[in-house]
Amino acid sequence: MKGFNEDANYSIGLLDDTATPTDVINNYIYEHTLTGKNAFFVADLGKIVKKHIEWQNTMGRIKPFYTVKCNSSPAVLEILSALGIGFICANKDAYFPEESGIGVVAEPGSFYVSSAFTLAVNIIAKKVVEHDHLPGGNGSFIYFMNDGVYGSFASKLSESLDTAPRVHKAYDEDETLFASSLLGPSYDELDIIVDHCLLPELNVGDWVVFENMGSGTMNEQSEFSDIERPYLYNFMSFRDWYEIQDAGMMSETLMRSLCVPCF
């Protein structure tokens, strides 16, 4: 079986049964802390396979067609192609009776890819906002991250963010939480990723993780952005890899992308 794009250049790390996706994120955060603290994505491609199984079990005769602009990562397109998913635009959620002979199609782009991608960003600057007039005198914090709306959070300009920030470093459950805002690196008034949330106090160099970042995040960066495009690390568990092989969905391109071990 030939691949969707035989010239694609990517790799897929295989994760053994003793490791978890969190281990993958922790490993790359450690590496990036040592080598420049660039933002990066990790993509669990096995979740795309599981989403396809879920689609088949719940949607039955409705054939999925993937909108490429949702996420054009080569590994994603290759997996979807191996699963037999189409790549054309079509009417959404139309219904026709089976006897009509008309096929039913849908465009479940976000459904397939959102949960597979996690983005890790680094705090590059910090501003303290004093609130002496409030009880206890606790201030709030504004943090600037090394990715924003002119990069991976571009969809934030037109829709709400479907994820919550998670602090990577360990902290005590009874640690004080502060009103916090998370902004991108441009200092532009539109570059607001999270306007308000409660977080422990962070420092420059700390990492924040955003899950469900697979939709609308992998497109070309804005011409207004001079930050480096985040790295992308694809992985899949051995179990998911074997399931694809057993189902006869393995392409030559996917086989060439294999990278053992994951880390």
Side-chain angles (χ1 to χ4, degrees):
M1 178 180 174
K2 290 188 175 295
F4 176 79
N5 184 353
E6 297 183 34
D7 296 325
N9 182 23
Y10 63 89
S11 62
I12 301 175
L14 291 184
L15 196 63
D16 65 38
D17 293 337
T18 63
T20 67
T22 299
D23 294 329
V24 177
I25 295 171
N26 290 343
N27 175 73
Y28 286 122
I29 282 180
Y30 175 76
E31 286 190 9
H32 280 253
T33 299
L34 298 177
T35 60
K37 300 179 181 178
N38 300 95
F40 65 89
F41 285 96
V42 293
D44 184 353
L45 301 180
K47 288 187 176 182
I48 297 177
V49 178
K50 292 182 175 65
K51 285 294 186 180
H52 184 60
I53 295 172
E54 182 181 344
W55 177 274
Q56 291 178 314
N57 290 338
T58 58
M59 302 302 288
R61 296 179 298 106
I62 301 180
K63 181 175 176 58
F65 282 79
Y66 180 76
T67 305
V68 175
K69 67 179 181 180
C70 183
N71 185 318
S72 58
S73 166
V76 167
L77 299 183
E78 193 66 44
I79 289 288
L80 293 173
S81 176
L83 293 172
I85 295 172
F87 294 95
I88 64 173
C89 293
N91 293 329
K92 298 180 181 179
D93 300 328
Y95 174 78
F96 301 94
E98 186 172 358
E99 59 271 16
S100 69
I102 300 175
V104 182
V105 296
E107 297 176 41
S110 297
F111 171 80
Y112 272 93
V113 297
S114 288
S115 64
F117 282 67
T118 299
L119 174 65
V121 298
N122 196 256
I123 302 298
I124 58 174
K126 170 182 177 180
K127 180 179 178 180
V128 181
V129 181
E130 300 292 346
H131 296 293
D132 294 334
H133 61 287
L134 295 179
N138 286 339
S140 61
F141 294 96
I142 299 175
Y143 300 104
F144 296 88
M145 310 180 298
N146 59 350
D147 203 348
V149 298
Y150 299 115
S152 304
F153 293 94
S155 62
K156 182 66 169 58
L157 292 172
S158 58
E159 57 190 54
S160 60
L161 190 66
D162 187 27
T163 182
R166 175 170 61 83
V167 176
H168 174 259
K169 70 177 182 180
Y171 60 93
D172 296 332
E173 292 185 2
D174 59 351
E175 189 168 335
T176 302
L177 300 180
F178 298 90
S180 305
S181 300
L182 298 174
L183 281 61
S186 69
Y187 290 85
D188 185 280
E189 62 180 5
L190 296 177
D191 206 359
I192 300 174
I193 310 306
V194 179
D195 187 44
H196 176 79
C197 60
L198 294 176
L199 298 174
E201 183 176 357
L202 304 178
N203 297 306
V204 172
D206 285 341
W207 291 87
V208 179
V209 175
F210 291 86
E211 299 177 341
N212 299 313
M213 287 291 291
S215 178
T217 58
M218 301 300 295
N219 300 321
E220 292 297 321
Q221 286 189 260
S222 166
E223 60 183 13
F224 300 107
S225 176
D226 58 359
I227 63 173
E228 186 174 349
R229 189 182 182 91
Y231 293 87
L232 170 59
Y233 302 101
N234 301 298
F235 73 94
M236 182 183 294
S237 69
F238 274 102
R239 179 177 301 175
D240 291 333
W241 184 266
Y242 292 145
E243 284 186 4
I244 292 179
Q245 286 184 307
D246 292 342
M249 298 183 295
M250 188 61 62
S251 69
E252 295 175 8
T253 307
L254 282 175
M255 287 298 295
R256 291 198 302 268
S257 72
L258 176 64
C259 176
V260 182
C262 183
F263 58 82

